Amino acid sequence: ETGVTQTPRHLVMGMTNKKSLKCEQHLGHNAMYWYKQSAKKPLELMFVYSLEERVENNSVPSRFSPECPNSSHLFLHLHTLQPEDSALYLCASSHSTGFNEQFFGPGTRLTVL
Amino acid sequence: GQNIDQPTEMTATEGAIVQINCTYQTSGFNGLFWYQQHAGEAPTFLSYNVLDGLEEKGRFSSFLSRSKGYSYLLLKELQMKDSASYLCAVRDLNDYKLSFGAGTTVTVRA
């Protein structure tokens, strides 16, 4: 257990559905991140939040919408996704954005039909 | 941006040593990380190098040469539980951005 939890662990959705991924960290960290991990490809940074403010949006399509209501919770709202969006979505947190170690959650395996 | 290369797969025998190489080309450099990821699980932090040289942590060691844009992760006395994907990641001068390689899948055989 890394202190970062994600729900759901698995999600199957149609292209017209709306769903949300949830991440919660119990480490007292101030920075949280969303990554996308596709098979045989590098982890891709999607969003970075520091003290509940978005500091990075890495050219991610608007069908992905993040929300950070407080420093412990991070959401990724999904709307009208495409099959190529199927991937493992990982949440991570760190003490601050400049801190060395990022702690990852187990991920949500998303399949878009 | 960052261009990070590491081998796709490696296989080794239990008790042996395996060295996973990582090369990078960067517009800025502020540290190199190694993470271990077992199938279906979260990546977990293994090591961090920001200065040249070798960092040793038990059976795992990590080496960095900034002038060569090169790092390796050395796994000694391999155990079956070391079968996993090993991710090399470089942090740029903006501190929080980690750029990852595609990972090296290590299979340990009895």
Side-chain angles (χ1 to χ4, degrees):
Chain A
E1 291 294 327
T2 62
V4 181
T5 58
Q6 291 186 242
T7 55
R9 293 293 308 274
H10 300 272
L11 178 62
V12 179
M13 60 187 288
M15 289 190 286
T16 59
N17 292 155
K18 288 183 182 180
K19 297 286 184 183
S20 295
L21 310 184
K22 179 182 176 182
C23 175
E24 184 174 359
Q25 56 97 358
H26 312 275
L27 302 167
H29 288 167
N30 291 320
M32 296 187 77
Y33 312 77
W34 278 117
Y35 287 89
K36 176 183 178 182
Q37 188 175 36
S38 302
K40 305 299 183 184
K41 290 185 178 179
L43 274 167
E44 300 171 50
L45 179 64
M46 299 176 73
F47 300 104
V48 181
Y49 276 82
S50 176
L51 296 171
E52 301 142 49
E53 287 197 20
R54 190 189 309 179
V55 297
E56 179 76 23
N57 174 4
N58 226 21
S59 302
V60 178
S62 59
R63 58 186 184 269
F64 295 91
S65 174
E67 179 190 1
C68 188
N70 55 63
S71 60
S72 299
H73 294 85
L74 185 65
F75 294 89
L76 188 63
H77 303 298
L78 314 173
H79 180 229
T80 59
L81 296 191
Q82 305 297 311
E84 58 265 29
D85 297 323
S86 298
L88 181 67
Y89 289 84
L90 290 163
C91 173
S93 72
S94 63
H95 186 267
S96 66
T97 54
F99 204 71
N100 289 346
E101 184 177 350
Q102 291 183 14
F103 292 79
F104 285 83
T108 295
R109 174 67 63 187
L110 174 67
T111 303
V112 181
L113 301 176
Chain B
Q2 320 282 18
N3 185 19
I4 300 167
D5 290 314
Q6 52 182 129
T8 305
E9 295 178 337
M10 300 183 76
T11 301
T13 306
E14 197 174 13
I17 298 173
V18 70
Q19 177 174 313
I20 307 169
N21 296 323
C22 173
T23 58
Y24 61 91
Q25 296 170 318
T26 64
S27 55
F29 179 83
N30 193 19
L32 187 142
F33 298 77
W34 284 97
Y35 280 83
Q36 179 191 58
Q37 186 179 22
H38 286 100
E41 296 183 14
T44 55
F45 171 81
L46 287 179
S47 68
Y48 170 69
N49 294 71
V50 68
L51 300 176
D52 290 351
L54 188 68
E55 295 280 342
E56 296 187 81
K57 273 188 182 182
R59 294 188 299 113
F60 293 1
S61 303
S62 57
F63 171 82
L64 174 67
S65 169
R66 288 172 296 171
S67 63
K68 295 181 179 177
Y70 168 70
S71 172
Y72 67 73
L73 180 69
L74 193 69
L75 315 180
K76 293 182 275 190
E77 301 170 18
L78 280 172
Q79 301 175 12
M80 300 299 288
K81 66 179 182 179
D82 297 329
S83 293
S85 181
Y86 292 85
L87 311 177
C88 174
V90 174
R91 186 167 70 185
D92 72 13
L93 291 175
N94 289 326
D95 285 340
Y96 54 79
K97 293 188 71 172
L98 284 184
S99 297
F100 283 82
T104 300
T105 300
V106 172
T107 302
V108 181
R109 294 183 173 167

